[in-house]
């Protein structure tokens, strides 16, 4: 079963009256508040989800920039979105699914059937479909989530991971090498981590590449499905996107939720620089 739905498939689901809830998770590093963009046009019925407050929780710098929400907090948010028990949840954004994947990663752990709209809002618009400009506030849902967190690594588990598996750093190459670090106190990467930017798995329109091409990308980083694999990024958002792609090709993975933002804010953690693990 694929983790993605096409624009045509989502349109048919919405037209049929099927139990589906759509969420708009527009968020980018350069534009963390996606609500203004949401209000200029979104999939009709889609609820705006603020990633910083509903798909993460406030914490200290030593917890990273996007600590995981508790199961109870996430459940309360999902109910605000109108999510009911048994609903299918479709998430989208305007950045190749990177932010929407955070919702996928969290909610699937909670037992929800979650899909990503392939191509996001751009694909919806390009198909000539109507957009809405209202701020959707649905009736309260009744979803009950299973406990989340089992797919997340602690900082100590992430440190030990390269000894027994492949730890992927899915940030841009210049951040991995330590050439630049625009957000966190130190530049570089976790020793032993292999660089594989998550954007390599998608085309310019935000559609996932042919599965054979995706497998080839991962194979070049040593990921074949025969050894454990985990991913980290700047703050645990982009890493969830890589987990989504890995799941799509049948490879289970973990995510270091605190990611580089936690690692670089924790005294005593070693830092590697350059293009080698």
């Amino acid at each position: 079963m694929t983790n993605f739905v096409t624009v045509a498939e989502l349109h048919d689901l919405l037209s049929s009256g099927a139990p589906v809830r759509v969420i708009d998770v527009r968020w980018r590093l350069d534009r963390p508040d996606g609500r203004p963009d949401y209000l200029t046009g979104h999939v009709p019925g889609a609820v705006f989800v603020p990633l910083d407050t509903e798909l993460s929780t406030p914490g200290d710098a030593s917890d990273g920039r996007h600590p995981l929400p508790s199961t109870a907090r996430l459940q309360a948010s999902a109910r605000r979105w109108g999510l009911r028990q048994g609903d299918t949840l479709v998430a989208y954004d305007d950045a190749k699914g990177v932010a929407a994947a955070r919702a996928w990663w969290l909610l699937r752990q909670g037992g929800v059937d979650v899909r990503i709209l392939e191509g996001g809002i751009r694909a919806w618009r390009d198909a000539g479909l109507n957009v809405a400009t209202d701020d959707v506030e649905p009736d309260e849902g009744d979803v009950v989530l299973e406990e989340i967190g089992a797919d997340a690594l602690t900082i100590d588990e992430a440190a030990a991971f390269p000894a027994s598996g492949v730890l992927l750093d899915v940030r841009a190459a210049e951040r991995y090498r330590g050439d630049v670090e625009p957000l966190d106190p130190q530049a570089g990467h976790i020793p032993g981590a292999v660089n594989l930017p998550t954007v390599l798995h998608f085309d310019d329109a935000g559609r996932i590449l042919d599965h054979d091409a995706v497998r080839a990308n991962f194979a070049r980083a040593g990921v074949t499905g025969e050894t454990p694999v985990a991913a980290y990024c700047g703050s645990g958002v982009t890493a969830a996107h890589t987990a989504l792609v890995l799941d799509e090709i049948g490879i289970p993975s973990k995510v270091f939720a605190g990611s580089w933002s936690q690692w670089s804010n924790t005294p005593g953690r070693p830092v590697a620089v350059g293009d080698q693990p």
Side-chain angles (χ1 to χ4, degrees):
M1 182 179 71
T2 181
N3 292 312
F4 296 89
V5 295
T6 65
V7 163
E9 289 168 338
L10 177 57
H11 183 265
D12 288 347
L13 280 172
L14 293 173
S15 300
S16 71
V20 58
R21 172 61 57 191
V22 184
I23 58 173
D24 184 309
V25 196
R26 271 181 265 193
W27 173 94
R28 299 196 308 262
L29 284 176
D30 63 336
R31 198 175 178 86
D33 183 6
R35 186 181 292 276
D37 292 327
Y38 164 82
L39 293 174
T40 66
H42 54 79
V43 173
V47 178
F48 178 71
V49 173
L51 184 147
D52 285 336
T53 57
E54 293 195 327
L55 300 179
S56 60
T57 194
D60 296 329
S62 60
D63 297 321
R65 282 182 275 114
H66 290 110
L68 298 189
S70 66
T71 303
R73 185 184 180 97
L74 182 63
Q75 179 175 283
S77 296
R79 290 182 174 185
R80 184 194 71 79
W81 312 334
L83 190 64
R84 302 189 64 81
Q85 199 70 10
D87 283 356
T88 293
L89 182 70
V90 177
Y92 72 86
D93 56 37
D94 59 355
K96 299 188 178 183
V98 168
R102 171 76 169 203
W104 171 88
W105 184 68
L106 290 173
L107 273 296
R108 72 187 291 268
Q109 294 180 64
V112 177
D113 176 19
V114 192
R115 312 295 175 87
I116 300 296
L117 176 61
E118 194 167 33
I121 189 63
R122 173 181 169 184
W124 185 269
R125 289 180 182 273
D126 288 350
L129 296 171
N130 291 333
V131 295
T133 57
D134 56 333
D135 194 355
V136 179
E137 296 183 2
D139 293 337
E140 185 90 355
D142 64 2
V143 68
V144 177
L145 298 185
E146 299 169 11
E147 192 68 25
I148 67 169
D151 288 347
L153 296 182
T154 66
I155 191 169
D156 288 334
E157 289 170 335
F161 203 89
S164 59
V166 179
L167 180 64
L168 295 174
D169 182 318
V170 303
R171 298 173 300 163
E174 59 268 23
R175 291 184 71 189
Y176 172 84
R177 292 192 303 265
D179 297 345
V180 297
E181 181 44 64
L183 297 167
D184 296 313
Q186 296 185 76
H189 60 267
I190 297 173
V194 179
N195 188 219
L196 185 65
T198 196
V199 293
L200 295 178
H201 311 304
F202 287 74
D203 65 19
D204 291 341
R207 297 181 298 259
I208 190 169
L209 300 179
D210 173 85
H211 286 190
D212 287 340
V214 173
R215 289 189 186 94
N217 283 342
F218 282 110
R220 285 192 291 272
V223 177
T224 62
E226 297 177 358
T227 57
V229 58
Y232 78 91
C233 56
S235 66
V237 174
T238 307
H241 189 252
T242 289
L244 164 74
V245 177
L246 283 164
D247 187 80
E248 182 69 10
I249 61 171
I251 298 178
S253 65
K254 302 283 188 178
V255 168
F256 171 27
S259 282
W260 187 248
S261 57
Q262 182 180 21
W263 188 275
S264 63
N265 275 288
T266 303
R269 294 292 174 176
V271 172
V273 295
D275 59 6
Q276 296 300 312

